[in-house]
Amino acid sequence: MIYIGIGIFGFIVIHLFDLVSLKRVPFGVKPIVWTAGFAILFFSLINMCLQSNTLPLPDSMTWVGWFLLAVSLMMITFALFINLPFRKTYVDTGVGDKLIKTGLYALVRHPGVYWVALFFFSLVFISKSHFMLIAAPIFVVLNTALVIVQDKYFFPKMFEGYDKYQKETPMLVPNRRSMNTFINLLKRRQA
C-alpha cells in the first residue's frame, strides 16, 4: 500500500508543474518537476505491478491488457506530446503562447484523462496485481480531480480565451457540437 501513497505523491508533483509554469519559475525547473513527478509515479506503478500476481484473470486478459496499453500509450503520446507543442508546454519557462483547440482538444478540453485511465487499467490486466486493481481507480479519480482543479483555477489564468473555450468545448464528455468541430477540422486538414 505504500506504493499507492508514492503514486499519489507523484501525481501531486506532476500537477505542481502547472504552478511552476504559471509562476514562470526559471532555470529549467519546469521540466525537472514534470519529469520527477512522472518518475515517482512510474516507480510506484512498477513496484505495484511486481508485488503480486494474484488476481484470478484468464491468460487472455494479459493480451487484452497489452493491446490496451499500446493504444493508451499511443493516445497519451498524441494528446500530451504531439497535439500540444512539446517545447513550449514542457520545457520553456512559463506557459505556452497559445491555447490549443484542435485535434483531440476540439472534442474535449482534457482528452488525456481517458487514455490515462485506460493505461492504469491495462496494467491491472497485464500484471494481475491486486495492488494495481486498488490503485487504478484511486489514480483515475485523483487524476480527474486534479484536471478539474487545472480547468477551474490554473488554465483560465494561463491561457487567454480559456473562458470562451470552456463554453465551446466540453470538459470530458464530447457533445454533438464538439464532435462536429473535430470532424470539420479533420476534413479541413485532409483537404
Side-chain angles (χ1 to χ4, degrees), residues 47-60:
N47 279 286
M48 283 187 286
C49 286
L50 296 175
Q51 285 296 313
S52 67
N53 188 3
T54 59
L55 292 177
L57 296 174
D59 288 339
S60 60

Side-chain angles (χ1 to χ4, degrees), residues 9-130:
F9 177 67
F11 265 108
I12 292 167
V13 172
I14 290 167
H15 285 276
L16 285 176
F17 168 82
D18 293 323
L19 188 60
V20 167
S21 297
L22 188 62
K23 296 295 183 183
R24 303 185 63 79
V25 177
F27 309 119
V29 172
K30 187 173 158 180
I32 292 170
V33 168
W34 191 84
T35 304
F38 271 97
I40 293 166
L41 177 61
F42 279 110
F43 171 80
S44 76
L45 292 172
I46 289 167
N47 279 286
M48 283 187 286
C49 286
L50 296 175
Q51 285 296 313
S52 67
N53 188 3
T54 59
L55 292 177
L57 296 174
D59 288 339
S60 60
M61 291 307 290
T62 302
W63 292 107
V64 170
W66 283 110
F67 173 76
L68 296 176
L69 179 69
V71 169
S72 66
L73 288 176
M74 284 188 299
M75 294 306 293
I76 288 168
T77 300
F78 181 75
L80 300 180
F81 305 117
I82 295 171
N83 210 184
L84 298 176
F86 183 83
R87 184 165 188 80
K88 290 179 182 178
T89 303
Y90 300 103
V91 180
D92 294 345
T93 299
V95 299
D97 59 352
K98 70 177 189 167
L99 177 62
I100 304 300
K101 301 191 300 187
T102 58
L104 296 175
Y105 294 88
L107 281 172
V108 293
R109 296 191 307 268
H110 299 279
V113 169
Y114 293 112
W115 308 115
V116 168
L118 188 64
F119 170 77
F120 290 134
F121 285 105
S122 72
L123 293 179
V124 173
F125 296 141
I126 293 168
S127 69
K128 298 181 183 178
S129 166
H130 72 277

